[in-house]
Amino acid sequence: MNYIVEYNMWTSTTTNDGIVGRNDDSIGGSDVHFSYKSKDKVYHGMQPVQVTNPINNKTLTIKAKFDTGAFSSSLDIRIAKLLGFRKELLDKCNKLKSIKIPKTTSIDDQKKLADKYEKELKKDFSEISKVKVIRSSSGFSIRIFVDLILDFDGRSLLTTVNIRDRHGLQSDMLIGLSDIL
């Protein structure tokens, strides 16, 4: 059963019967997901979206996970290849994931590191919009961002997404809060 609670345009849902306050004894761990309600729309879970590479206008419809716990959006490297992003760029994305960044790295040092890689990589790859150090559940990583046109639920927006290997994850794309709002 799906339970939904709203607070100030944020929606919390859980997909387990183990909810505190119920009249039975089934209190336990449940999956809790948060989503943002924009006017009359609630964006959450898996949804089909259309993505377009603005450089060559190649378009695909893929499965995306709307995740308000993530700030930025992330595209699977295999989808980026199908959209026509250069193999050399995608190889760089894979290579950057092997760089270990200590969790104790200061915000200033993260910015300097991102600036260094951005300056270096933009020389060879004009399609890069930015390079950032991102904190995720697996720690810090350097990520390459590219422009992408994202269409969902009647909305079309030009956004920047990072390219990552999402193999083994539930969706080809994660849509973060910055693109949901």
Side-chain angles (χ1 to χ4, degrees), residues 114-129:
D115 289 345
K116 173 189 157 206
Y117 278 98
E118 183 173 324
K119 185 177 179 181
E120 178 184 312
L121 290 168
K122 278 189 168 184
K123 290 178 189 174
D124 296 323
F125 304 103
S126 60
E127 60 268 47
I128 293 175
S129 57

Side-chain angles (χ1 to χ4, degrees), residues 2 9 19 36 44 56 58 91 101 105 116 123 125-126 132 146 153 172:
N2 221 6
M9 296 184 71
I19 305 301
Y36 183 78
H44 65 89
N56 61 16
K58 284 189 180 179
D91 289 344
I101 302 171
T105 304
K116 173 189 157 206
K123 290 178 189 174
F125 304 103
S126 60
K132 289 180 69 176
V146 296
D153 198 33
D172 298 323

